[in-house]
Amino acid sequence: GDHRDLHSFPTRRSSDLRTSPTVSPMRDVRLIGVGERYAAIVLQSGEVRTAGRALECGLRAVCDERGPEALVTEFTKVVSLERRARFEPVQALACGLRHCVAIGPTGSVFTWGDGAKGQLGARSSKQETSPCRVRALIGANAVGAAAAATFSAVVIEGGA
C-alpha cells in the first residue's frame, strides 16, 4: 500500500469493529500518542482512533470478542468515547505505557487501559476496556495531560 497512509496493511474485520477510511496524516491528524503496544490519534474533527493491543485501544467490543491482547491493525474510531463525552471533540491526548488519557473541550477527563497502579484516576486499580470519565475531576476544567508507565497527570485551568 501507499506508505503515506497510517494504515495500509491488511486486517481481519469484525462485525463489532468500526474501521475507517484511510487517514491522510498530513491533512487529518492533529495529535498523536504512542504507548508500549498501541498508538492513538486525534483527527482535526476531535475524533479519536486507536490501533494496537485492544486493551489500550479502548475498544471494549474487540476485548469482549477476541480478548484484551487482540491486535487491532487499523486505526479504529473509539466510539464509546464519543458517547461518554457527549460527542465533544477531544482537545488533548496523552498515552502512557499501557493507558490513555483524553480531554474534551469543556475540561472533562477520560481514561482507559491498564489501571494496575492507579494511573486511570479511578478508585480501583483494574483494567478499563473502554473510556471512563474520571469522577474526581468532574468540574475541574482540565486543559492538558501527561502520562507515563505508572501515572497520569492533568493540568487544571487556574493551576490547581
Side-chain angles (χ1 to χ4, degrees):
D2 185 347
H3 70 279
R4 292 174 292 168
D5 295 339
L6 284 178
H7 56 84
S8 58
F9 40 88
T11 183
R12 282 190 220 148
R13 298 218 183 245
S14 163
S15 60
D16 293 330
L17 186 66
R18 292 186 172 101
T19 58
S20 57
T22 300
V23 174
S24 170
M26 300 302 285
R27 182 182 64 232
D28 298 331
V29 177
R30 185 167 44 88
L31 301 169
I32 188 166
V34 295
E36 181 181 38
R37 294 182 278 181
Y38 76 105
I41 59 174
V42 178
L43 303 181
Q44 293 296 340
S45 66
E47 175 184 301
V48 176
R49 297 184 188 179
T50 57
R53 194 173 89 130
L55 172 63
E56 287 90 0
C57 287
L59 302 171
R60 176 171 280 156
V62 176
C63 290
D64 290 348
E65 182 181 312
R66 299 188 337 225
E69 296 290 330
L71 184 62
V72 178
T73 58
E74 291 189 29
F75 278 88
T76 303
K77 184 177 183 178
V78 183
V79 176
S80 59
L81 177 60
E82 280 192 343
R83 285 194 303 264
R84 290 203 169 105
R86 296 191 176 112
F87 299 93
E88 291 181 353
V90 168
Q91 299 298 308
L93 178 79
C95 293
L97 187 68
R98 295 184 182 134
H99 71 287
C100 200
V101 181
I103 299 175
T106 60
S108 52
V109 180
F110 298 86
T111 59
W112 64 90
D114 183 0
K117 305 289 184 185
Q119 62 269 49
L120 300 182
R123 292 183 184 199
S124 71
S125 57
K126 65 179 189 167
Q127 297 178 348
E128 290 294 342
T129 56
S130 65
C132 294
R133 188 159 187 187
V134 179
R135 294 178 197 267
L137 296 174
I138 291 175
N141 198 21
V143 294
T150 59
F151 73 89
S152 298
V154 175
V155 177
I156 305 298
E157 187 173 62

